[in-house]
Amino acid sequence: MRYLSTRGSAPPARFSDILLEGLAPDGGLYVPEHWPRADLAAWRGLSYPALACEVLAPFMDDVPRLRQIVARTYTKDVFGSDEITPLRTLAPGLCLLGLSGGPTLAFKDLALQLLGNLFEDALAARGETLTILGATSGDTGSAAEYALRGKRGIRVFMLSPHGRMSEFQRAQMYSLADPNIHNLAVRGTFDDCQDLVKAVNADAEFKARHRIGAVNSINWARIAAQAVYYFKGWFAATAAGAGRVSFAVPTGNFGNLYAGYVARAMGLPVHRLILATNENDVLDEFFRTGRYRPRRQAQATSSPSMDITRASNFERYVYDLVGRDGARVAALWRALEASGELDLSGLRDRIAASGIASGRSTHADRIATIRAVHADYGVVIDPHTADGVGVAARLREPGETVVCLETAHPAKFAPTIREALGREPERPRGYEALESLPQRFQVIDPDPEALKRLIAGTGQA
Ligand SMILES: *Cc1c(COP(=O)(O)O)cnc(C)c1O
């Protein structure tokens, strides 16, 4: 498989070239040159790792040990069940696809656990090392750390805003004792953390010398890994008798929804992809109006992992929307930077034809949905999942089965669960005493030069 840039002027690349890269050199995002065809008849009934191999093989055709890597990644030991992503039917036409069985109790583990193993394999083959520098306000940082802990040749420096994460999230990250994991609590906000990452990356010489990389949500391997559970969920729902199957997807960066788009582009007969945003509704606005207007500032909400100002993966969707015309995408993004807006309302028909419905969910909706799902089915869902379930309940058509993606375990968001249900969410086994484990982190000032000295002075574990 060759990968092209959405802006059309970077040279085509192979998967192993883009695995460790972020943006293409022309500022675009990499997309596969064509969509491989799914073989639904042959894939039905496969175990999760076997299915993952089939879905991923055409995208990763230059990874010689893919089968072993995938088999090592998707195990009951890591994800808590043999199904990896178990489907639960709540009512006729309404299911939950459990994506939060991984070590950090959120769906990001499904992609990042694979990424960690792909990185380790690629670095060992090339005899190289890698320094991952990232900023997190919650789920991504811990999923990345749990995926990269103890990996040979990889050091992780994860910046987080000092004193601003939930107790659970802090304990989850800071209790890791692996010598290759470095938690840096920045005296400042999440934006300060992101600015630090940018400042270090802007020093090209430093970046090259220390092989600084990222694991952000535009990484193609993450998207491909997420496409797998759409297949798994569709097979499980149709085996249980569903006819028209749609997915309800809580999304912020458009990563989770775009993975569903990829599955459908490969031939999975998904009826609709139902996109759900929180109060940060850039994407909902786009699918209603055809106008994309990234915001200056994100609003802090009770589904915090979807608090974004711009949807990084959205450019990949627009690339297909304009007929895979890279020059057109480059011009659109120049206009976006100049005017702060992308007006694609002229393509309304094409947008509608892509089968994406959308809705927005507020704090009150979230609380009401958590209550209703608990009262009706005895199941506790997390606030992000509630955004999806709430929007799905409003938009569901007669005869449609909606598979709602369960993106996090409620234990991660106890204050919102307390507000909705008046009690603590249950903790999964092994997480009961998380906050009492010893924590290891270093508090730093938001000073790029000091951060560079710290990275340069820290040895390879
Ligand atoms: C990251 C995250 C999302 C949104 O994922 P996108 O990649 O932005 O689509 C939703 N729910 C949870 C719990 C998350 O951690």
Side-chain angles (χ1 to χ4, degrees):
M1 179 70 75
R2 296 200 317 164
Y3 288 85
L4 311 177
S5 164
T6 50
R7 307 246 175 126
S9 52
R14 300 292 306 274
F15 176 76
S16 54
D17 302 322
I18 67 164
L19 172 63
L20 302 170
E21 297 293 326
L23 293 175
D26 60 4
L29 278 68
Y30 286 110
V31 284
E33 189 172 33
H34 65 91
W35 298 118
R37 285 313 285 178
D39 185 346
L40 296 177
W43 295 3
R44 182 181 283 285
L46 293 182
S47 68
Y48 196 98
L51 176 63
C53 274
E54 298 298 330
V55 175
L56 297 175
F59 292 120
M60 306 181 182
D61 54 0
D62 56 346
V63 179
R65 286 165 297 279
L66 183 64
R67 195 159 288 276
Q68 293 93 309
I69 294 170
V70 167
R72 217 156 12 96
T73 302
Y74 297 111
T75 64
K76 180 177 179 179
D77 210 34
V78 176
F79 288 97
S81 71
D82 283 321
E83 294 136 291
I84 308 297
T85 60
L87 186 81
R88 172 147 59 163
T89 299
L90 297 181
L94 182 65
C95 309
L96 274 183
L97 187 64
L99 306 181
S100 67
T104 73
L105 307 180
F107 85 106
K108 291 191 171 67
D109 289 327
L110 283 158
L112 283 166
Q113 287 287 321
L114 179 70
L115 202 63
N117 289 331
L118 285 169
F119 276 9
E120 185 177 53
D121 184 75
L123 292 170
R126 299 185 206 174
E128 288 176 6
T129 60
L130 182 67
T131 300
I132 294 294
L133 175 63
T136 188
S137 57
D139 289 340
T140 308
S142 52
E145 289 191 354
Y146 278 76
L148 299 173
R149 62 188 294 195
K151 292 268 184 275
R152 234 167 309 141
I154 305 179
R155 297 184 302 167
V156 179
F157 293 88
M158 193 57 69
L159 311 180
S160 52
H162 187 37
R164 293 182 196 230
M165 285 196 301
S166 78
E167 243 184 278
F168 186 97
Q169 289 176 319
R170 202 162 50 225
Q172 213 171 27
M173 285 179 59
Y174 296 177
S175 65
L176 283 180
D178 305 78
N180 72 326
I181 302 292
H182 307 280
N183 284 305
L184 306 177
V186 177
R187 290 191 187 92
T189 62
F190 175 58
D191 285 332
D192 294 324
C193 297
Q194 283 192 304
D195 289 345
L196 275 174
V197 172
K198 271 190 211 143
V200 171
N201 277 298
D203 182 341
E205 192 274 327
F206 185 87
K207 185 177 174 189
R209 182 148 41 95
H210 294 283
R211 301 175 187 283
I212 307 272
V215 286
N216 43 29
S217 78
I218 58 163
N219 183 289
W220 175 259
R222 281 181 67 175
I223 300 289
Q226 289 175 210
V228 176
Y229 54 71
Y230 284 88
F231 284 95
K232 188 73 182 162
W234 187 87
F235 284 130
T238 50
R244 276 187 299 157
V245 177
S246 297
F247 287 88
V249 190
T251 192
N253 265 320
F254 205 60
N256 204 2
L257 193 116
Y258 183 72
Y261 174 90
V262 169
R264 189 158 57 185
M266 293 175 70
L268 187 69
V270 175
H271 178 52
R272 298 192 296 170
L273 292 165
I274 300 174
L275 176 153
T277 69
N278 63 20
E279 290 89 335
N280 296 285
D281 57 359
V282 193
L283 288 169
D284 176 47
E285 182 182 62
F286 173 78
F287 284 99
R288 279 183 299 102
T289 65
R291 293 168 68 201
Y292 177 64
R293 301 187 306 144
R295 313 288 194 248
R296 265 194 188 50
Q297 227 178 353
Q299 189 180 331
T301 75
S302 49
S303 47
S305 299
M306 289 151 53
D307 291 350
I308 56 92
T309 49
R310 57 182 63 236
S312 350
N313 280 291
F314 181 63
E315 184 171 334
R316 290 185 158 123
Y317 167 76
V318 172
Y319 180 69
D320 275 5
L321 200 63
V322 300
R324 305 204 129 208
D325 178 347
R328 175 103 189 267
V329 173
L332 285 171
W333 254 260
R334 276 196 301 275
L336 172 63
E337 254 137 59
S339 71
E341 173 175 342
L342 207 61
D343 187 354
L344 299 177
S345 52
L347 298 175
R348 280 287 252 303
D349 291 349
R350 281 215 208 167
I351 296 169
S354 53
I356 298 172
S358 92
R360 160 187 203 271
S361 164
T362 64
H363 179 73
D365 296 327
R366 215 164 286 142
I367 297 290
T369 303
I370 293 170
R371 276 193 193 133
V373 168
H374 183 251
D376 294 348
Y377 316 115
V379 171
V380 181
I381 55 173
D382 101 288
H384 306 79
T385 306
D387 287 333
V389 173
V391 169
R394 284 208 306 276
L395 301 187
R396 200 170 82 85
E397 298 168 348
E400 179 183 35
T401 292
V402 183
V403 175
C404 300
L405 302 189
E406 187 243 0
T407 56
H409 192 286
K412 289 192 97 164
F413 302 97
T416 306
I417 303 303
R418 271 200 299 274
E419 182 182 339
L421 304 179
R423 65 171 178 84
E424 293 295 315
E426 271 170 45
R427 287 277 173 104
R429 220 152 21 106
Y431 293 81
E432 297 88 348
L434 186 66
E435 287 91 334
S436 62
L437 296 174
Q439 298 190 3
R440 205 170 58 91
F441 64 100
Q442 196 175 338
V443 181
I444 63 165
D445 285 317
D447 172 357
E449 293 311 315
L451 175 57
K452 285 190 217 167
R453 283 195 298 275
L454 192 154
I455 293 172
T458 306
Q460 189 73 45

